[in-house]
Every structure is written in structure tokens, then in C-alpha cells.
């Protein structure tokens, strides 16, 4: 079923004369960091959102469809996100500004706009460079031009919340392609790589952040790092970004992440990606219970580390990964009509299907929604997994309410976990057998 509201031309007619009066700011005081939007304390209940019908890959763009098709797709999916309590989505550049405004005005969902900052390659002198050198002057020039163009295109766009630079670009210094791989060993993080590759990259990100602010002073800036790798270098080079964003996959707990960022960097924090896949690599079957289990634990830690709750008090929120399954992500260019069950990397934090020397992370199964085959218009329906319903309940919490504290957040998580603890024990028993 697809939903339609006011005709698109009428919506834009009503909003075209409305300047962006959004007031977004960061406040730091003795109680920590907080994000304030339109005068209200704001915790980001975010979601990594994209739109790739089955049998498509990264070459597909919803924004190339007709306005009618785009609106139908957005009305269907944003309604589900809004019902879940999501108030911000992470989207890559390419989305036209009018659709950022449409999502905001119709569903009260803000957009974190992501420029990949050369993560997946760059065209330099008419030649495609897959693994770029951030110390190269020509590369720097192209990236800064792209960032400036982005800021000029999207400035004062109602619904735009944050500009985000990169996507685990520090991992891109090691990985050989766009697919997720195991993290580099400590031995690979030597001084030469730090000084010749990592430091120039972070220095350029800081320069890009300042360039954005020179064009669009109303919107906050952030970078997307892979976990806390090079945190010391980031603290030295990225002094002018507003928010530190990280993609972090540690399983049941983020451990000392909040305290380390507070102590070693001092910037407010968002998780630009985190979550769990819904496939058990040991049992070789879909496992939406385990996925929900990890998400509940993760959001509990996010909420208990926000402003004025007595813990790290530097957390602004997070973007769950991800909205719907990506059937193209393992092979990227082949088997696009098959949801691949090949685990491509390993992570011991996801202990419910972890076994030493065996991959357990399934890239095509991270959605909290499963997707159905598309119709002739590339529109498709979604089925919520258990994580959708559990996150919907978690997002009913507002850590800024006077009646909500660490105890209430922990109790909410405990109640949601109690509902699935029998299934979790059954999974453990099946693995033992």
C-alpha cells in the first residue's frame, strides 16, 4: 500500500516562500553536551536510510525517478519511520534539497547529509582513482570544490540537520575496495601511514568543515570515522568540526567509547552507524531475535550517556544501521536477485554466532526491514523485523524528560529484553548442539 497526501506542486508552492528558520545549535556546560533544535533539547533517534529495489545496486538512484514515484516511495517509507520514532535519517548527497524539505515538513524527520569525501574513489584528470591520496594537491582541490558545491546547493534547506564528511575513510586507507573487510591489525597502523595518509586526510576534513561553515553557517558539521582509530590524530587535526561521528560495531556494548571521546577529544558524539545483522552464520538461518537483542543493548547505552544523566554526557544520539536489507552489498555487481548468506567479515562482539577463525557478519542482512520484489515502477513493500518493534518502544524514551534517568532507561531495556530472553537461550542451545 502506498500513501499520497497533498499534491506535490501544492506542497512546494506553500513552502517556497518560507525561509529556513531552523535554529540548530550545540550547547556545552557543566552537565555535558546537548543538541538544541528550534529551542528544544533534541536526541537523535536516527536511521541509515536508502532506497535500492531488489535487482539493483549502487548504480540505481531513486532521485532519477519521476516526482510521482519518488513521492510514493517516500510517503510509504517515511510514514513507517515516523511511527517508529525516527527523527533523522542519514542520506548521501544526490538527494535534491526539495526532498529533504518534503521529508521534514511532512514527517518531521531531519536529514544528516553525507558527502563520501573520496571514500569510494575520485575522478582525477579524467582517470578514475579508486584509492586516493589525500596529500595530493589535485585531490585536495577536487574534494574541496565538491564540498563547497554541496554547501552552496543545500544551504538554508529546511530539514537539513548536519553535514557529514566521509564514511570510514580511515579504513579506506587499508581496504582494497568498497566492500567491508576485517579491520587492520595494530602492526599496520605504523607511523608512515599516520603521517603520510591519515594526518593529511583529517587535516583536509577540517579544512572542508571550515569551508562548509563559510558558505552555510546555520548547519553543523561532522566527520564519519571508523570506530576510534586515529583518535589522537583526529584530536590534533579536526579542531573545527562540530560533532565527532563514528561507525561502530562492537556487539552488545560500546565499552569505553563515550569516556575515551570525552577525555581524548572533547567533542560531542554521534554514532553514524551501529547495529547487527539478522542472520546467524552458525545456524545458517535468519535470526531477527538476536538482531533486536543487540539493538536494545546499544540504544540503552546511547540514551544513558546523553546530557545531564551523570555518565559521559557527550552523546547526541545515533543512526541505526540500517533501514532495509541491501541485496547487492556482498557481490555488489552480481547475484542482485539473491539475498546472499555469505559472511564477509568477523566480529567477536556478536557472540551469538561467533566462532574463532570464521566470518559471522552478513552484509546483506542488516535491515530492520525485509523488502519484497519491486513492481514495474521500482516501488516495493517492506516487512518489519522484530528490531523495528523493539526500537519503536525504545524511541518512546526521551532522556531529556525530567522523569527519565539512567534507572528508567535501564528498566525499559530490561523489560524489552525479558520479552525475548527465552528465544535467546534457545539460540544458544541450538548452537551448542
Amino acid at each position: 500500500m502506498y500513501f499520497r497526501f497533498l499534491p506535490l506542486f501544492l506542497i512546494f508552492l506553500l513552502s517556497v516562500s518560507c525561509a529556513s528558520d531552523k535554529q540548530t545549535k550545540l550547547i556545552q556546560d557543566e552537565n555535558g553536551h546537548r543538541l538544541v533544535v528550534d529551542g528544544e533539547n533534541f536526541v537523535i533517534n536516527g536511521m541509515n536510510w536508502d532506497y535500492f529495489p531488489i535487482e539493483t545496486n549502487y548504480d540505481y538512484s531513486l532521485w532519477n525517478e519521476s516526482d510521482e514515484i519518488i513521492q510514493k516511495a517516500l510517503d510509504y517509507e517515511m510514514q513507517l519511520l515516523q511511527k517508529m520514532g525516527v527523527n533523522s535519517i542519514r542520506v548521501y548527497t544526490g538527494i535534491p534539497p526539495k526532498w529533504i524539505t518534503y521529508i521534514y515538513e511532512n514527517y518531521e524527520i531531519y536529514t544528516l547529509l553525507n558527502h563520501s569525501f573520496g571514500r569510494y574513489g575520485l575522478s582525477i584528470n579524467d582517470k578514475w582513482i579508486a584509492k586516493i591520496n589525500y596529500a595530493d594537491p589535485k585531490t585536495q582541490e577536487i574534494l574541496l570544490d565538491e564540498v563547497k558545491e554541496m554547501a552552496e546547493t543545500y544551504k538554508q534547506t529546511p530539514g537539513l540537520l548536519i553535514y557529514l564528511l566521509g564514511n570510514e575513510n580511515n579504513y579506506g586507507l587499508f581496504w582494497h575496495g568498497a566492500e567491508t573487510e576485517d579491520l587492520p591489525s595494530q602492526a599496520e597502523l605504523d607511523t608512515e601511514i599516520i603521517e603520510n595518509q591519515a594526518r593529511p586526510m583529517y587535516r583536509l576534513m577540517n579544512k572542508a568543515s571550515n569551508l562548509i561553515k563559510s558558505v552555510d553557517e546555520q548547519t553543523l558539521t561532522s566527520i564519519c570515522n571508523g570506530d576510534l582509530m586515529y583518535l589522537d590524530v583526529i584530536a590534533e587535526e579536526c579542531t573545527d568540526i562540530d560533532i565527532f561521528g563514528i561507525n561502530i560495531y562492537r556487539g552488545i556494548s560500546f565499552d569505553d567509547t563515550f569516556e575515551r571521546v570525552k577525555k581524548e577529544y572533547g567533542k560531542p558524539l554521534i554514532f553514524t552507524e551501529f547495529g547487527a545483522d539478522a542472520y546467524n552464520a552458525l545456524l545458517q538461518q535468519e535470526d531477527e531475535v538476536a538482531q533486536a537483542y543487540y539493538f536494545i543493548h546499544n540504544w540503552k547505552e546511547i540514551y544513558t550517556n546523553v546530557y545531564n544523566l551523570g555518565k559521559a554526557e557527550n552523546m547526541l544520539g545515533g543512526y541505526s544501521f540500517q533501514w532495509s536489507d541491501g541485496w547487492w552489498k556482498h557481490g555488489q555487481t552480481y547475484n542482485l536477485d539473491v539475498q546472499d548468506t555469505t559472511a564477509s567479515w568477523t566480529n567477536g562482539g556478536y557472540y551469538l554466532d561467533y566462532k574463532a577463525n570464521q566470518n559471522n557478519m552478513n552484509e546483506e542482512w542488516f535491515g530492520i526491514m525485509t523488502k519484497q520484489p519491486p513492481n514495474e515502477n521500482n516501488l516495493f513493500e517492506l516487512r518489519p523485523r522484530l528490531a523495528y518493534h523493539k526500537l519503536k518502544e525504545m524511541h518512546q524514551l526521551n532522556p531529556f524528560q525530567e522523569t527519565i534517568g539512567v534507572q528508567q532507561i535501564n528498566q525499559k531495556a530490561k523489560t524489552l529484553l525479558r520479552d525475548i530472553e527465552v528465544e535467546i537461550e534457545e539460540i544458544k542451545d541450538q548452537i551448542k548442539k
Side-chain angles (χ1 to χ4, degrees), residues 101-114:
T101 300
Y102 180 81
I103 293 167
Y104 167 64
E105 292 184 344
N106 287 276
Y107 299 98
E108 299 180 49
I109 295 175
Y110 291 90
T111 293
L112 176 146
L113 186 66
N114 197 168

Side-chain angles (χ1 to χ4, degrees), residues 133-155:
N133 175 12
Y134 290 95
D136 172 59
K138 185 62 177 180
T139 299
Q140 294 180 357
E141 178 187 351
I142 293 172
L143 286 175
L144 291 176
D145 284 346
E146 286 186 1
V147 166
K148 183 179 181 181
E149 181 181 1
M150 173 187 68
E152 290 173 342
T153 299
Y154 291 94
K155 67 180 180 180

Side-chain angles (χ1 to χ4, degrees), residues 50-62:
D50 57 30
Y51 193 90
F52 291 104
I54 294 172
E55 298 191 49
T56 68
N57 63 5
Y58 52 80
D59 283 333
Y60 174 82
S61 175
L62 173 65

